[in-house]
Amino acid sequence: MNNRRIPKYMQLKHELLSWFESGKLQRGQQVPSENEIAEQFGMSRQTVRQTFGELEKEGWLERIQGKGTFARNPERREGEQVKTIGIITTYISDYIFPHIVRGAEAELRSRGYRLLLSSTDNNKEKEMESLQLMTSQPLSGLIIEPTKSAEGNPNLAYFLELQEKGIPYLMINEKYRELECTCLKVNDEAGGYKAAEYLLEQGHVRIAGFFKRDDLQGVNRLKGFLAAHKAAGISASPKRVVTYTTEQKNTLPYQQALHMLAEGEERPTAFVCYNDELAVLLMEAVSASGLRVPEDVSIIGFDDSSLASASGTKLTTLTHPKTMMGQEAASRLIAIIERGETAEDRVYEPQLIERDSVAKRN
Amino acid sequence: MNNRRIPKYMQLKHELLSWFESGKLQRGQQVPSENEIAEQFGMSRQTVRQTFGELEKEGWLERIQGKGTFARNPERREGEQVKTIGIITTYISDYIFPHIVRGAEAELRSRGYRLLLSSTDNNKEKEMESLQLMTSQPLSGLIIEPTKSAEGNPNLAYFLELQEKGIPYLMINEKYRELECTCLKVNDEAGGYKAAEYLLEQGHVRIAGFFKRDDLQGVNRLKGFLAAHKAAGISASPKRVVTYTTEQKNTLPYQQALHMLAEGEERPTAFVCYNDELAVLLMEAVSASGLRVPEDVSIIGFDDSSLASASGTKLTTLTHPKTMMGQEAASRLIAIIERGETAEDRVYEPQLIERDSVAKRN
DNA sequence: AAGAATAAATTGTACGTACAAGCCAGACGA
DNA sequence: TCGTCTGGCTTGTACGTACAATTTATTCTT
């Protein structure tokens, strides 16, 4: 028997732990006395004491002099467990992200979890910093919004580490292609499709599209934009499709828009924008070109952010679940943590909200 | 000797722990062997083993068979210290709060601290929940934005508990009157004064003021508003001063504004609003009354939020440090934690930003 | 000089005894 | 009936022995 190599007190320890697992020992229940155990297992009381001592230090047993040894609530361990969940988003203060965080925070607080927050500013180095900090202490789970998801993922090692440590995580808005994990996202392709389709239905033909290319959300929205053109039998002119990166977001699309609008009769009559933030920026470009929204140029945004209704001309845009996404991400993660459920992807269908920034053409 | 009552192995344990404290035992250093200790202290090896066993379980010693017993890095305990700072704000997703959080988050991340976030929705019960959750696990420090600071503070016990536990905290925007603690805030009274003074300078005489009364920010802004009137020798009519609570914020001021604007020639020509959020709401009230901003009614907001520039008519408003306040709160708290500094209050002077919502009168 | 065997020291395992200290139920006495 | 006491149980402390397993330095062998 290879049992010969395992010390007796360890064998007894494993035996007792199996009692806990099988439910043979319930919380508060008295454990046979040291002498009884010693006799039953054919070992000396001292050896039993060694086992009991370790189990007591580890919180499984409680020994009371003169009274006996008792099984301690093993749930105490889970009760005292971390209960902290981290969220890593690209931005904190801007745009729709505060709403996502808020949804998650409310859910977590009501479920007794603490929320660790960190942002990456869409910068992979800061993503690494954040991952390191988050995992530097015990963590129950992690919600991550990928940084520049369309590019490679240099922090793959950290995610694998999460898996090794048994820290469940899920992604929102997008997922890294390299990782298999649950993801809550908007159907961006359908959104891009709907935006373009809607404009085409209103009689627009020369539609410009502005999409971010370093995250998959932008790539997918562009994909839908092109698909709608194809379905309508109208070719989307490559010169009216602008892609840009996070770093260029405040300059390149604006300049390209000015450029297009200066093309006289050939200028586009509508803009599909990656998101509301860009839409507001391009509204200014339109205005700077001496044109008006929506009379001269129609604009569609994305995400139905507060910017969409706050701006002078209220933006027609596509919805994003925002708060609900945060809330759902939190509750799914808790389900994974507490009940070991395996969550499936959740895809939200964006709805078009008609406001004032799109004009009927013809 | 009362030593008689203390078991030998406990006496030895205390002795060894004192060695750690005095530096007699440094990390990695070898401890005398069990037999040596037994001889020195006149006890059996078994008793020494009991002591060593406990100290090993508690992380003070490392025992290696055949090699000896070694002092484990006691700094390990401090090295793994918490480095987590909590922030409790009234709101997360709205208004200027995301910017405050962002400032603090960036600072904390760069200094190697984790950020725990929680919100109260300006509700004292949720404040209690948040405090409980935050302190349920080790915490280095806490930044708190008081909830309804003008009212009493039912969670005083929790704050005293923080002091007992030695968790430093500081307040932003306002402080609870009952607590002595460092506070970073805007000079709200000066802000209210400047707003009213500016309008009076532009020739306005009938100025209405809308202020929140359940937090001290609102109370102080109102105080400044009244002081400016007094200094100008113009009485502020009580019927043009509206105070409201958090729960009423979306209804009462709006209705009161409509009411005032319906007063014909006696209607106010300017509104001083508690903050930009209210200012935007009241702009709608003006518009709903068939009047225009700023031609018929001038409006001044507060906090220079994104709403101020996003709205159709850009708001004249007073500045709030926002991101800088978050950043400074974080860095001061870290200074308290790491160097035991005692931080003094920091008062930011608000600046008036002239935009388009105020008209010169006469 | 390099490797192998050995010895000494260390901690680990296992059993043993003895008594102290604390809890509890049942016997006992007022 | 109530309180007290006692005996028997429990775990706690303390010492003891013996040998196993591991490390390290030393010695021996090649």
Side-chain angles (χ1 to χ4, degrees):
Chain A
M1 301 251 268
N2 59 355
N3 268 8
R4 296 272 169 220
R5 293 285 133 197
I6 300 178
K8 276 194 179 183
Y9 81 99
M10 284 296 276
Q11 291 179 35
L12 176 59
K13 188 172 173 182
H14 291 143
E15 177 70 19
L16 289 176
L17 285 176
S18 78
W19 289 6
F20 278 100
E21 205 150 342
S22 70
K24 187 173 170 181
L25 273 181
Q26 308 268 340
R27 58 172 286 190
Q29 193 180 329
Q30 183 158 11
V31 181
S33 77
E34 295 174 353
N35 284 319
E36 281 180 78
I37 295 276
E39 198 176 348
Q40 276 182 40
F41 287 83
M43 50 177 70
S44 81
R45 182 181 158 223
Q46 302 313 312
T47 306
V48 178
R49 280 187 65 71
Q50 187 169 1
T51 303
F52 278 27
E54 289 200 9
L55 288 173
E56 186 183 29
K57 277 272 178 188
E58 288 165 25
W60 294 97
L61 297 180
E62 184 178 9
R63 300 200 279 182
I64 303 176
Q65 187 175 157
K67 204 171 175 184
T69 305
F70 301 85
R72 211 159 153 180
N73 186 0
E75 288 161 43
R76 186 197 61 103
R77 317 175 78 74
E78 290 166 39
E80 277 182 15
Q81 85 191 110
V82 259
K83 287 216 157 198
T84 302
I85 283 180
I87 297 188
I88 299 177
T89 61
T90 47
Y91 301 99
I92 286 182
S93 60
D94 303 330
Y95 205 50
I96 58 171
F97 301 105
H99 295 91
I100 298 177
V101 172
R102 180 187 144 70
E105 193 271 340
E107 179 73 11
L108 292 175
R109 176 157 38 73
S110 75
R111 302 285 290 271
Y113 282 77
R114 311 198 304 178
L115 165 63
L116 272 176
L117 185 65
S118 195
S119 73
T120 68
D121 294 335
N122 221 17
N123 174 323
K124 287 184 191 292
E125 280 169 30
K126 291 188 184 169
E127 183 182 72
M128 189 186 67
E129 272 182 26
S130 297
L131 283 167
Q132 282 179 331
L133 266 180
M134 288 271 178
T135 54
S136 68
Q137 282 171 57
L139 200 64
S140 306
L142 202 49
I143 296 172
I144 300 159
E145 190 203 1
T147 290
K148 295 189 178 175
S149 50
E151 300 176 0
N153 176 4
N155 297 323
L156 200 62
Y158 287 95
F159 290 99
L160 296 177
E161 199 182 320
L162 287 177
Q163 292 181 339
E164 271 180 28
K165 286 186 181 173
I167 298 175
Y169 59 91
L170 53 80
M171 306 242 167
I172 54 174
N173 279 345
E174 261 307 336
K175 68 168 81 175
Y176 286 117
R177 292 198 189 107
E178 302 91 335
L179 289 170
E180 278 198 21
C181 84
T182 308
C183 176
L184 279 69
K185 55 175 293 192
V186 170
N187 190 339
D188 288 306
E189 192 168 338
Y193 191 98
K194 281 183 186 174
E197 182 187 47
Y198 175 72
L199 288 171
L200 290 165
E201 279 171 6
Q202 306 302 316
H204 291 270
V205 178
R206 294 188 307 280
I207 306 174
F210 298 78
F211 298 96
K212 207 152 148 212
R213 71 162 173 272
D214 52 3
D215 71 35
L216 287 170
Q217 288 198 278
V219 172
N220 288 331
R221 287 172 186 184
L222 170 56
K223 211 183 280 180
F225 174 83
L226 297 176
H229 276 81
K230 192 170 180 187
I234 294 174
S235 69
S237 167
K239 67 177 180 180
R240 292 200 200 96
V241 173
V242 177
T243 65
Y244 62 99
T245 64
T246 301
E247 289 71 23
Q248 301 166 324
K249 73 174 183 178
N250 290 315
T251 54
L252 188 134
Y254 187 88
Q255 287 160 1
Q256 292 287 316
L258 285 182
H259 197 256
M260 281 186 208
L261 292 173
E263 284 177 8
E265 287 310 303
E266 277 302 301
R267 68 162 191 254
T269 62
F271 287 171
V272 172
C273 303
Y274 167 67
N275 64 10
D276 289 344
E277 191 184 12
L278 185 70
V280 169
L281 184 67
L282 295 192
M283 271 169 71
E284 283 179 29
V286 171
S287 158
S289 301
L291 301 170
R292 286 166 306 167
V293 178
E295 291 84 349
D296 301 308
V297 182
S298 296
I299 290 188
I300 286 190
F302 233 109
D303 294 339
D304 190 25
S305 72
S306 59
L307 293 173
S309 350
S311 51
T313 306
K314 301 202 188 316
L315 265 176
T316 292
T317 188
L318 287 138
T319 57
H320 186 292
K322 295 190 280 284
T323 308
M324 189 201 295
M325 179 187 270
Q327 186 252 316
E328 208 158 338
S331 75
R332 277 169 180 245
L333 191 53
I334 291 175
I336 296 174
I337 292 165
E338 295 185 351
R339 298 189 291 280
E341 288 179 15
T342 51
E344 290 179 7
D345 283 10
R346 171 83 155 91
V347 177
Y348 299 89
E349 290 301 325
Q351 305 297 322
L352 189 95
I353 306 278
E354 293 189 69
R355 292 211 182 86
D356 313 327
S357 66
V358 172
K360 193 163 191 145
R361 190 109 186 130
N362 306 350
Chain B
M1 302 249 270
N2 58 356
N3 268 6
R4 297 273 170 218
R5 294 284 134 197
I6 300 178
K8 277 195 179 180
Y9 80 99
M10 283 295 275
Q11 292 178 35
L12 176 59
K13 189 172 172 182
H14 291 142
E15 177 69 20
L16 289 176
L17 285 176
S18 77
W19 289 6
F20 278 101
E21 205 151 341
S22 69
K24 186 174 170 181
L25 272 181
Q26 307 268 341
R27 57 171 284 189
Q29 191 179 328
Q30 183 158 13
V31 181
S33 76
E34 294 174 355
N35 284 317
E36 281 179 75
I37 295 277
E39 199 175 348
Q40 276 182 43
F41 287 81
M43 48 177 71
S44 79
R45 181 181 158 222
Q46 301 313 313
T47 306
V48 177
R49 279 187 66 71
Q50 186 170 0
T51 302
F52 278 26
E54 287 199 10
L55 289 172
E56 184 183 30
K57 278 271 177 190
E58 287 166 23
W60 294 98
L61 296 179
E62 186 178 7
R63 302 200 278 184
I64 303 175
Q65 187 174 160
K67 206 171 173 184
T69 305
F70 301 86
R72 212 160 150 182
N73 186 3
E75 288 161 42
R76 182 196 63 101
R77 316 173 85 75
E78 291 166 38
E80 278 182 15
Q81 84 190 59
V82 261
K83 288 219 156 194
T84 302
I85 282 179
I87 296 188
I88 298 178
T89 60
T90 47
Y91 300 98
I92 286 183
S93 59
D94 303 331
Y95 205 49
I96 58 170
F97 302 104
H99 294 91
I100 297 177
V101 172
R102 179 187 145 69
E105 193 271 339
E107 179 72 11
L108 291 174
R109 176 158 37 76
S110 75
R111 302 285 291 271
Y113 281 78
R114 311 198 303 178
L115 165 63
L116 271 176
L117 186 66
S118 195
S119 72
T120 68
D121 295 336
N122 220 19
N123 173 323
K124 286 184 192 291
E125 280 170 29
K126 290 188 185 167
E127 183 182 69
M128 189 187 67
E129 270 182 26
S130 297
L131 283 167
Q132 281 179 331
L133 266 180
M134 288 269 176
T135 55
S136 68
Q137 282 171 57
L139 199 64
S140 307
L142 202 49
I143 296 171
I144 300 160
E145 191 203 1
T147 290
K148 296 189 178 177
S149 49
E151 301 177 359
N153 177 2
N155 297 323
L156 200 63
Y158 287 96
F159 290 100
L160 296 177
E161 197 183 320
L162 286 177
Q163 292 182 340
E164 271 181 26
K165 285 185 181 171
I167 299 175
Y169 59 91
L170 53 80
M171 305 244 168
I172 55 174
N173 277 344
E174 260 310 332
K175 68 167 82 172
Y176 287 116
R177 291 196 189 109
E178 302 90 335
L179 289 169
E180 279 199 20
C181 83
T182 308
C183 176
L184 278 70
K185 55 176 291 191
V186 170
N187 190 338
D188 288 307
E189 191 168 340
Y193 190 99
K194 281 184 186 174
E197 181 187 48
Y198 175 72
L199 288 171
L200 291 165
E201 280 171 5
Q202 308 300 315
H204 291 269
V205 178
R206 296 188 307 281
I207 306 172
F210 298 80
F211 298 96
K212 206 151 150 214
R213 70 162 174 271
D214 53 2
D215 72 34
L216 288 171
Q217 289 197 278
V219 173
N220 289 330
R221 286 172 187 184
L222 169 57
K223 210 182 283 180
F225 173 83
L226 297 176
H229 276 81
K230 192 170 179 186
I234 295 175
S235 70
S237 167
K239 67 177 182 180
R240 292 199 200 96
V241 173
V242 176
T243 65
Y244 62 100
T245 65
T246 302
E247 289 71 24
Q248 300 167 325
K249 72 173 184 179
N250 289 316
T251 53
L252 188 134
Y254 187 88
Q255 287 160 1
Q256 292 288 314
L258 286 182
H259 199 255
M260 281 186 208
L261 292 173
E263 285 177 9
E265 287 311 303
E266 277 304 300
R267 70 161 192 257
T269 61
F271 287 171
V272 172
C273 303
Y274 167 67
N275 65 11
D276 290 345
E277 191 184 11
L278 184 70
V280 168
L281 184 67
L282 294 193
M283 271 169 68
E284 283 180 29
V286 171
S287 159
S289 302
L291 301 170
R292 287 166 304 168
V293 177
E295 291 84 349
D296 301 307
V297 181
S298 295
I299 290 188
I300 286 191
F302 233 107
D303 294 340
D304 190 24
S305 72
S306 59
L307 293 173
S309 347
S311 52
T313 306
K314 301 203 188 316
L315 266 176
T316 292
T317 189
L318 287 138
T319 55
H320 185 293
K322 296 191 280 281
T323 308
M324 190 201 294
M325 179 186 269
Q327 186 252 316
E328 207 158 339
S331 74
R332 277 170 181 246
L333 192 53
I334 291 176
I336 296 173
I337 293 166
E338 294 184 351
R339 298 188 292 282
E341 289 179 14
T342 51
E344 291 177 7
D345 283 11
R346 171 82 155 91
V347 177
Y348 299 89
E349 291 301 325
Q351 304 298 321
L352 189 96
I353 307 277
E354 292 189 67
R355 292 212 179 85
D356 313 328
S357 66
V358 172
K360 194 164 192 140
R361 191 108 186 132
N362 307 346

